[in-house]
Amino acid sequence: MHRWDTKGTPYALVAPFFLVFAAFGLFPLLYTGWLSFHRVSLYNVDRAEWVGLRNYADLFTGQVSHYFWNALLNTFTLGVLSTVPQLLMALGLAHLLNYRLRARGFLRTALLAPYATSVAAATLVFALIFSPEGGMANWVLGLFGAGPVHWEAGRWSSQFAISVIVTWRWTGYNALIFLAAMQAVPRELYEAAALDGANRWKQFLHVTIPALRPTILFTVIVSTIGATQLFGEPYLFGGQSGHQGGTDHQYETLGILMYDQGFHSSMLGRASAVAWIMFGLLLLIGLVNALITRRLRASQ
């Protein structure tokens, strides 16, 4: 019994995780893959007709190819518009908080407030800010003599507004990750750089940034994955037309397309194909991350 206890206890302790993962992670993934090869309606899931790769063909070259490529492009542009400013601002805020400031603990806590705010609350507030009728954004533009902008109607204006929401929510979270990595950099490196005559800006460029390369790569990958799965902000920002990414699909992402095909067009097979394409993109991102990480380790 002692031998069975010694060998079996570790497996019993980790078994709940694998059971939950199999039930809520692996099974839905495999079932979605199976659905992607069938024509199946949301209202009659039991009657699935095998169609092979037709759902994927419809997305790439068929009936909804225009919407798919549009959603893929929007996912990319929204990812760039939100990820690049977000990480640059997070890096700058972390650099400032790395020095001794008054109320530094309060500022660090305040950085997490947007992250703790729900997607629905944040998006609804920013929808009012970017409202074409009395919104704060148009009021500020009016102070400079610029005309009102219908933020939700235009492609770039709507994507800019959505990227502002994403940037506001995630900048503080990434700033704390950068701050934790900065505090792990040995102080001797900064002291040596100061003795060599380097000011704070040069220390930041030649000491802090090289030391943060693995952390920067991590945040870039995580932010890219988040941008690939972007759904809540554009869905809620659009109001009644949010399920299709705007009246002209001007900010429709892959997540929105998947939801629209599955729950509004009742094409679960096609929605499952979109989900597996998103899964493939995430695997590709993970592969790129692994290759870059291996090169970084080899260069050190």
Side-chain angles (χ1 to χ4, degrees):
M1 291 295 296
H2 174 72
R3 184 172 58 185
W4 280 101
D5 179 64
T6 303
K7 293 184 177 180
T9 299
Y11 294 99
L13 292 175
V14 300
F17 166 78
F18 289 101
L19 291 176
V20 172
F21 173 75
F24 298 100
L26 185 60
F27 172 73
L29 180 67
L30 297 178
Y31 184 64
T32 303
W34 180 82
L35 283 180
S36 68
F37 297 105
H38 293 76
R39 179 185 288 113
V40 53
S41 171
L42 175 66
Y43 305 104
N44 197 359
V45 182
D46 295 333
R47 297 185 60 182
E49 177 188 355
W50 174 267
V51 293
L53 297 175
R54 187 176 303 173
N55 288 322
Y56 294 92
D58 287 342
L59 292 174
F60 286 107
T61 58
Q63 301 176 3
V64 292
S65 60
H66 171 72
Y67 300 113
F68 171 75
W69 292 112
N70 174 69
L72 184 62
L73 177 62
N74 289 340
T75 301
F76 174 77
T77 54
L78 276 170
V80 173
L81 288 173
S82 59
T83 300
V84 175
Q86 172 191 149
L87 296 182
L88 291 177
M89 292 172 60
L91 193 60
L93 288 172
H95 182 63
L96 291 176
L97 292 177
N98 196 32
Y99 292 100
R100 293 184 178 179
L101 300 173
R102 292 183 179 180
R104 183 171 58 174
F106 170 76
L107 293 175
R108 292 177 180 178
T109 305
L111 283 178
L112 277 180
Y115 172 70
T117 306
S118 68
V119 178
T123 306
L124 292 177
V125 169
F126 276 93
L128 293 176
I129 293 175
F130 289 104
S131 173
E133 300 177 356
M136 184 181 295
N138 282 337
W139 176 76
V140 173
L141 290 177
L143 296 178
F144 296 94
V149 177
H150 200 312
W151 296 95
E152 196 270 338
R155 173 179 293 272
W156 291 109
S157 60
S158 60
Q159 293 192 21
F160 172 80
I162 294 171
S163 66
V164 168
I165 305 172
V166 178
T167 301
W168 181 82
R169 290 195 67 240
W170 291 96
T171 297
Y173 174 82
N174 288 306
L176 291 183
I177 293 178
F178 286 139
L179 179 61
M182 287 179 184
Q183 292 182 340
V185 179
R187 290 294 172 184
E188 293 79 5
L189 296 178
Y190 292 103
E191 294 173 358
L195 290 175
D196 290 337
N199 55 27
R200 287 189 174 184
W201 174 246
K202 290 185 178 180
Q203 291 177 24
F204 177 73
L205 290 179
H206 300 291
V207 178
T208 305
I209 295 298
L212 293 184
R213 283 189 301 177
T215 306
I216 292 174
L217 175 62
F218 169 77
T219 55
V220 169
I221 296 299
V222 171
S223 299
T224 304
I225 292 174
T228 305
Q229 299 175 322
L230 190 63
F231 173 78
E233 288 85 351
Y235 176 77
L236 294 172
F237 182 77
Q240 294 182 351
S241 61
H243 69 90
Q244 60 183 18
T247 55
D248 197 28
H249 303 268
Q250 61 268 27
Y251 50 88
E252 183 177 36
T253 61
L254 289 175
I256 295 291
L257 177 64
M258 178 182 64
Y259 177 83
D260 185 48
Q261 290 295 314
F263 291 93
H264 282 265
S265 299
S266 185
M267 302 290 291
L268 285 186
R270 194 177 293 164
S272 299
V274 176
W276 264 79
I277 292 173
M278 293 173 62
F279 178 65
L281 290 176
L282 296 180
L283 290 179
L284 181 62
I285 294 171
L287 178 62
V288 172
N289 176 36
L291 293 176
I292 296 177
T293 302
R294 183 179 300 178
R295 287 198 172 188
L296 288 177
R297 290 177 178 175
S299 62
Q300 293 177 352

